[in-house]
Amino acid sequence: MEPVAVGLVGAGPWARMAHGPMLAKGPHTRLAGVWARRPESAAELGAPVFTRIEELFDHCEAVAFCVPPAVQAEYAALAARAGKALLLEKPLADSLGNARRLADVIAETGVPSQMVLTLRYAAQTRDFLARCAEIEPFGGHAVNISGTLLGDHPFATPWRLERGALLDVGPHVIDVLDAALGQVTGVRAHGRSLGWTGLLLEHEGGAVSEVSLCMTTPGEAPPQTIAVYGRTGSAVLPHFEEDPLETVAEEFARTVRQGGHPLDAAHGLRIQRIIAEAEAQLTP
């Protein structure tokens, strides 16, 4: 299969660490060019730099986004209207309204889309979900604790400092529990958006799960934990260091060529609905 020519929107830390190298590495994709608000940062990615986003669209068949959620919501709609397949970061947008508008544009234009919910592309996660399907699951819990929003961490960016862990790491955790226990049908939230956030998720079929999130904890943090319990056993997602981005690129190339992916924009919108409902119950 001919490598998919992918343009990249954004040149921040995550673009330089993840998206840029992932797309340039091949063999399933090639980095066709970069557009960013700071051209000097875009130049560091070693690909052609375009001064207008429309010029980037002219040189690629798909577009990947590595920008704040509000920016993604705006520019992904432009790319969809230009007929480009979309590789979208989580969360889909900065608000439920903007997420819904972007998902509507994608549905109207019919362009393929895929969300970078990285945990779901890891072999360990897929083994974990297969195990969950065997144990008649009825409950689970997840913990994601870090000090990412303290000090001068490169990911202590304005949108994360404003919205906290729920909008940042929340999509990953909610998505995995949703896949393991059944679609989330209700959420109760307590705590503070920039402090400790607790969620009680109700799942289709009657399962329930608890989630604890915090990105303002000083000191060394424990590894993320996700566990599910069932009538015939239990399953724990082990800590792993392997990078699943090669699988992201491979599956995105297939999405561009063949269409359809379970983690598409419609899925991202559903996760955003859960987050919006939870955010409304938290103390700022």
Side-chain angles (χ1 to χ4, degrees):
M1 184 173 65
E2 183 72 17
V4 174
V6 186
L8 178 59
V9 173
W14 190 236
R16 296 194 297 272
M17 291 170 58
H19 283 60
M22 171 186 75
L23 297 170
K25 181 180 179 180
H28 307 287
T29 59
R30 67 177 181 87
L31 184 56
V34 183
W35 177 87
R37 291 177 176 178
R38 298 190 307 278
E40 64 277 8
S41 296
E44 296 178 14
L45 289 162
V49 176
F50 296 95
T51 57
R52 296 175 58 250
I53 195 169
E54 292 81 6
E55 293 176 331
L56 176 67
F57 296 163
D58 290 340
H59 288 81
C60 65
E61 52 191 313
V63 183
F65 293 85
C66 201
V67 290
V71 180
Q72 173 169 273
E74 177 183 357
Y75 288 119
L78 292 178
R81 291 191 176 102
K84 307 302 174 183
L86 307 175
L87 186 62
L88 300 159
E89 261 295 345
K90 57 77 208 169
L92 185 60
D94 60 319
S95 68
L96 180 57
N98 284 339
R100 186 179 292 113
R101 281 186 282 274
L102 174 55
D104 286 347
V105 170
I106 293 169
E108 289 164 8
T109 57
V111 299
S113 63
Q114 184 175 319
M115 298 291 299
V116 185
L117 289 157
T118 47
L119 276 179
R120 289 286 294 277
Y121 297 89
Q124 293 87 341
T125 305
R126 291 176 174 181
D127 290 344
F128 166 77
L129 293 175
R131 169 65 177 160
C132 291
E134 298 172 347
I135 62 174
E136 300 180 38
F138 56 76
H141 67 80
V143 178
N144 191 307
I145 308 299
S146 74
T148 300
L149 300 185
L150 299 176
D152 58 355
H153 194 285
F155 295 123
T157 53
W159 72 268
R160 291 180 175 91
L161 290 170
E162 179 185 355
R163 304 289 287 277
L166 181 57
L167 197 65
D168 185 20
V169 298
H172 292 301
V173 175
I174 293 169
D175 171 60
V176 171
L177 289 172
D178 182 90
L181 290 165
Q183 289 194 5
V184 175
T185 57
V187 57
R188 283 176 275 172
H190 63 94
R192 295 177 56 246
S193 56
L194 293 177
W196 192 275
T197 296
L199 306 177
L200 175 63
L201 302 177
E202 299 170 354
H203 298 263
E204 198 173 64
V208 294
S209 61
E210 291 94 15
V211 178
S212 296
L213 306 172
C214 186
M215 296 174 71
T216 54
T217 301
E220 186 174 352
Q224 173 178 265
T225 300
I226 301 179
V228 166
Y229 303 89
R231 294 174 180 82
T232 62
S234 61
V236 177
L237 178 60
H239 178 66
F240 58 90
E241 299 290 346
E242 293 88 343
D243 190 341
L245 291 176
E246 186 173 335
T247 302
V248 174
E250 180 180 358
E251 294 192 7
F252 182 55
R254 194 177 305 126
T255 296
V256 174
R257 298 290 185 231
Q258 302 173 6
H261 195 279
L263 304 181
D264 61 5
H267 180 77
L269 174 59
R270 193 166 63 78
I271 297 298
Q272 190 117 24
R273 287 195 186 102
I274 298 164
I275 291 170
E277 186 176 347
E279 277 193 315
Q281 301 173 48
L282 294 176
T283 302

